[in-house]
Amino acid sequence: MARVDHKLDLSVDGGTLTAALVDIASVSGEEQPLADAIERALTAEPHLTVHRDGNTVIARTNLARAERVILAGHIDTVPHAGNYPSSLSADRARLLGCGTSDMKSGVAVQLRLAHEVARPARDVTYVFYDCEEVAAERNGLLRLARNAPGLLSGDFAVLLEPSGGVVEGGCQGTLRVAVRAAGARAHTARSWMGDNAIHKAGAILDVLRGYTPREPVVDGLRYHEGLNAVAISGGVATNVVPDGCEVQVNYRFAPDLSPEQAIAHVRDLFSGFELEVLDVASGARPGLDAPVAGAFAAAVGGTPRPKLGWTDVARFAELGIPAVNYGPGISEIAHTAGEYVELAAITEAETRLRSWLEG
Amino acid sequence: MARVDHKLDLSVDGGTLTAALVDIASVSGEEQPLADAIERALTAEPHLTVHRDGNTVIARTNLARAERVILAGHIDTVPHAGNYPSSLSADRARLLGCGTSDMKSGVAVQLRLAHEVARPARDVTYVFYDCEEVAAERNGLLRLARNAPGLLSGDFAVLLEPSGGVVEGGCQGTLRVAVRAAGARAHTARSWMGDNAIHKAGAILDVLRGYTPREPVVDGLRYHEGLNAVAISGGVATNVVPDGCEVQVNYRFAPDLSPEQAIAHVRDLFSGFELEVLDVASGARPGLDAPVAGAFAAAVGGTPRPKLGWTDVARFAELGIPAVNYGPGISEIAHTAGEYVELAAITEAETRLRSWLEG
């Protein structure tokens, strides 16, 4: 395929820019054409210093302001679902297509601000990163934090993930464990000689069926936990009483618990069974009580709500940077064939963020 | 590999003949050398008419007796487990090796009787068949029943499967079903939007955990049923509330139930769940109340017991021929690396069957 050097015009309105971004395909791992286009467009802005790390692009103002804030967004999408390229709805109110909500509309807002706000009241670091939609070890933000942590220094971060134009604070942590029941094999013709591990796993499911998730209030936001089997497997052969059964359990925990506390809670629930921690990611407290975050929430308005899913705000939390989600997309329709974004929401997010940056 | 024409000497004692049979490897699908050797040895007996169907060999007396009985055994073994060729125990009481119990000692008894009993009181059909240890559709007895059912006509059948020298009557049937729980997917971060099918499958396991198997007496023998999960699977992705979970259940049912009754019973137990019948094989009543079977049991002595596993006696039952298991091997150690047979048990089975055939 011939190489196309896409040109992005940052002076157009946010909806038009979103469509241009959507139409440069960037499924995870294939972000280079879009990263190149973003890098070229930002390099043309005299008030920005541009850096590149793989397919992650960083652009910074350098005004020696008292505060530095980060506006970050991923440029990759999930694979297309028959919804590429973008299209406008009949009433021209919505832009449809893969990545419209998650999160090229957010990226468009970042690019519009980078272009328009030459002298912000707070120094700004714009981060456009790759591989958010795939395994954590490929995440461009994680790689940048390792390769050039200085580029990620700041006092506050906004991730432009789809949040319906509302500030979503913090994020829940996620823990996945394998809980295993053990038994003894026997021929099913003489099953009383054995001990059926799948039957014993019924007690694991009992715990899950009887569990009432917590809904704690953390820094003023009410979270909603969940404890769910996400996989179950067991069986040796069709005529054998099985000696093993494994249930994978996913615990989504509110950010008032550390990963260690979440693990202890789950171990307590399934005491009596072998338990292995498969993976864990800490949550992030909303941090809206920090002055810099409070100023942001006040500037963009609305009532902040908790973020239940895990997002990269947790990476900023690990770097000691308070972070929130705020973007024009709609998270509930992300990754669906019917994904869209309201054009008015793009304009509104841009307007509110601009007033905050300039204010 | 050069073709070896093995020669079997049927005049030696049963233990020696068993060793010779074990040492002609005949893992399922590779029975030809052994079938050839058996065919040659039996063709040399003037009182027998010999037939061949694939690697199944049939030899019949033709004395126009009032009754015809069938002595049947499979000549294949499971794959070797470091226990080939055969060896004698230090005290020379046991023969060790793959197939010693299951069931070349039984085949040796068949061959000894075919050689020694030239003028039985009952006409005898000796069947040596292939592929019993593998999928049912490859079974040589099933193939023979389709290709030449006349060769399997008879009034009573003895399968020389390992039964510890005790008459084992009938066999239990076996039914395997898939029981499925259905739910609704959701992201685990918002799990209350979904309906976890693995959690719902807990109710399937409840049925299994709370089930008390029947132990009915059929034709004087007490059977022992079993209802067991033999496999379980479910799960979509590690962050998705799963919308499906399947439990495979194996019901071993006593021969007082038909396959249709067994299916109805299981459907009743799991009403409320989708259920699919995966496979079913009917059991066989012991039939020891039939005069011909009673005479056999009286002649060989001992207290008959029920056969809990499924064996080819069910195939004879389907052909309308009462059948029992009676052989010198030990079923509990079949298919193990430590498989052996007591030499004295071979002699005893031969002696008892000979007195029955001649009596």
Side-chain angles (χ1 to χ4, degrees):
Chain A
M1 197 172 74
R3 168 71 174 273
V4 179
D5 283 338
H6 300 280
K7 177 158 171 41
L8 289 174
D9 179 356
L10 304 189
S11 68
V12 299
D13 69 274
T16 303
L17 181 54
T18 301
L21 294 170
V22 169
D23 295 345
I24 302 174
S26 59
V27 174
S28 307
E30 299 165 8
E31 298 94 335
Q32 189 184 335
L34 180 55
D36 289 350
I38 290 172
E39 182 184 8
R40 275 193 302 275
L42 294 175
T43 303
E45 304 288 346
H47 61 283
L48 295 174
T49 311
V50 179
H51 305 261
R52 175 92 177 227
D53 181 86
N55 287 325
T56 290
V57 179
I58 307 96
R60 295 155 55 98
T61 64
N62 298 285
L63 301 166
R65 302 298 194 217
E67 280 183 349
R68 174 174 289 279
V69 296
I70 301 167
L71 298 188
H74 64 84
I75 62 172
D76 60 322
T77 70
V78 294
H80 302 162
N83 54 354
Y84 173 87
S86 63
S87 61
L88 271 178
S89 62
D91 63 1
R92 308 185 70 80
R94 295 176 174 179
L95 182 72
L96 292 75
C98 182
T100 47
S101 259
D102 187 11
M103 58 168 279
K104 288 183 173 175
S105 53
V107 173
V109 170
Q110 290 176 264
L111 290 169
R112 287 285 301 147
L113 295 169
H115 174 71
E116 294 284 337
V117 187
R119 298 199 53 83
R122 303 168 162 86
D123 265 316
V124 188
T125 301
Y126 299 95
V127 180
F128 305 86
Y129 62 102
D130 59 320
C131 286
E132 192 269 351
E133 298 287 8
V134 287
E137 70 266 18
R138 296 173 61 191
N139 185 293
L141 193 62
L142 176 63
R143 188 184 64 239
L144 184 63
R146 287 172 178 160
N147 289 351
L151 291 176
L152 282 178
S153 66
D155 301 290
F156 182 61
V158 178
L159 270 172
L160 282 96
E161 289 276 357
S163 75
V166 175
V167 176
E168 291 187 331
C171 79
Q172 295 202 128
T174 180
L175 166 65
R176 192 162 52 94
V177 299
V179 187
R180 301 189 181 104
R185 292 189 194 188
H187 196 291
T188 52
R190 294 176 194 80
S191 53
W192 56 94
M193 310 277 285
D195 184 16
N196 195 313
I198 294 176
H199 297 194
K200 292 172 86 173
I204 297 170
L205 301 187
D206 285 347
V207 171
L208 295 168
R209 293 154 83 192
Y211 188 76
T212 303
R214 294 194 313 143
E215 298 186 39
V217 174
V218 184
D219 297 351
L221 300 184
R222 180 179 300 277
Y223 288 82
H224 193 152
E225 298 193 334
L227 185 74
N228 274 274
V230 292
I232 189 167
S233 61
V236 174
T238 56
N239 61 352
V240 175
V241 173
D243 58 352
C245 183
E246 177 179 294
V247 185
Q248 283 191 24
V249 175
N250 182 210
Y251 178 34
R252 296 283 173 150
F253 55 95
D256 61 336
L257 293 188
S258 68
E260 294 69 29
Q261 289 171 318
I263 292 169
H265 177 58
V266 170
R267 282 197 191 281
D268 186 50
L269 285 172
F270 297 106
S271 63
F273 291 97
E274 182 194 331
L275 186 147
E276 181 186 354
V277 175
L278 300 176
D279 53 51
V280 62
S282 58
R285 297 182 71 100
L288 293 172
D289 47 355
V292 61
F296 168 78
V300 300
T303 303
R305 62 185 181 195
K307 185 73 177 176
L308 301 174
W310 194 93
T311 79
D312 277 324
V313 297
R315 292 195 204 284
F316 286 107
E318 285 177 7
L319 295 169
I321 304 172
V324 298
N325 298 282
Y326 174 77
I330 304 165
S331 64
E332 288 77 2
I333 56 171
H335 304 192
T336 70
E339 182 176 352
Y340 67 86
V341 66
E342 300 279 357
L343 295 178
I346 302 173
T347 306
E348 181 177 326
E350 179 185 332
T351 303
R352 291 178 182 269
L353 286 169
R354 181 171 180 165
S355 73
W356 172 58
L357 291 180
E358 293 179 334
Chain B
M1 197 173 73
R3 167 73 175 272
V4 178
D5 284 337
H6 300 281
K7 179 159 170 37
L8 289 174
D9 179 356
L10 305 189
S11 69
V12 300
D13 69 275
T16 303
L17 182 54
T18 301
L21 294 170
V22 169
D23 294 346
I24 303 173
S26 59
V27 174
S28 307
E30 301 166 6
E31 298 94 334
Q32 189 185 334
L34 180 54
D36 290 349
I38 290 172
E39 182 183 9
R40 275 193 301 276
L42 294 175
T43 303
E45 303 287 347
H47 61 284
L48 295 174
T49 310
V50 178
H51 305 262
R52 175 92 178 226
D53 180 88
N55 286 325
T56 290
V57 179
I58 308 96
R60 295 156 55 99
T61 63
N62 298 284
L63 300 167
R65 302 300 196 214
E67 281 183 348
R68 174 173 290 279
V69 297
I70 300 167
L71 299 187
H74 65 84
I75 63 172
D76 61 319
T77 70
V78 293
H80 302 161
N83 54 354
Y84 173 88
S86 64
S87 61
L88 272 178
S89 63
D91 64 2
R92 307 184 70 81
R94 294 176 174 180
L95 182 71
L96 292 75
C98 182
T100 48
S101 260
D102 187 13
M103 55 166 282
K104 289 183 173 176
S105 53
V107 172
V109 170
Q110 289 177 265
L111 290 169
R112 285 287 299 148
L113 294 169
H115 174 71
E116 293 283 337
V117 187
R119 298 201 49 85
R122 302 167 162 88
D123 265 315
V124 188
T125 301
Y126 299 96
V127 180
F128 305 87
Y129 64 100
D130 59 319
C131 286
E132 191 271 348
E133 299 285 9
V134 287
E137 70 266 19
R138 295 174 61 190
N139 185 293
L141 193 61
L142 176 64
R143 189 183 65 237
L144 184 63
R146 288 171 179 162
N147 289 351
L151 290 176
L152 282 178
S153 67
D155 302 291
F156 183 62
V158 178
L159 270 173
L160 283 97
E161 288 276 357
S163 76
V166 175
V167 176
E168 290 187 331
C171 78
Q172 295 201 129
T174 180
L175 166 66
R176 191 161 53 95
V177 300
V179 187
R180 301 190 182 104
R185 293 189 192 187
H187 197 292
T188 53
R190 294 176 194 80
S191 53
W192 55 93
M193 309 277 285
D195 184 16
N196 194 312
I198 295 176
H199 297 192
K200 292 172 87 174
I204 298 171
L205 301 187
D206 285 348
V207 172
L208 295 168
R209 293 154 84 192
Y211 188 77
T212 303
R214 294 194 314 142
E215 298 187 39
V217 174
V218 184
D219 298 351
L221 299 184
R222 180 180 300 278
Y223 287 83
H224 193 151
E225 297 194 335
L227 185 75
N228 274 275
V230 293
I232 190 167
S233 61
V236 174
T238 55
N239 60 353
V240 175
V241 173
D243 57 353
C245 183
E246 176 179 295
V247 185
Q248 284 191 23
V249 176
N250 182 211
Y251 179 34
R252 297 282 173 151
F253 55 96
D256 61 337
L257 292 188
S258 68
E260 294 70 29
Q261 290 172 317
I263 291 169
H265 177 58
V266 170
R267 282 198 190 282
D268 186 52
L269 285 172
F270 297 105
S271 64
F273 290 97
E274 182 195 330
L275 186 147
E276 180 185 355
V277 174
L278 300 176
D279 54 48
V280 62
S282 57
R285 298 183 71 99
L288 293 171
D289 47 356
V292 60
F296 169 78
V300 302
T303 302
R305 63 186 180 195
K307 185 73 175 178
L308 301 174
W310 193 94
T311 79
D312 277 323
V313 297
R315 293 195 203 284
F316 286 108
E318 285 177 6
L319 295 168
I321 304 171
V324 298
N325 297 282
Y326 174 76
I330 304 165
S331 64
E332 287 78 2
I333 55 171
H335 304 191
T336 70
E339 182 178 352
Y340 67 85
V341 65
E342 300 278 357
L343 295 178
I346 303 174
T347 306
E348 182 177 323
E350 179 185 329
T351 302
R352 290 177 184 269
L353 287 170
R354 180 169 181 166
S355 72
W356 173 58
L357 291 180
E358 293 180 334

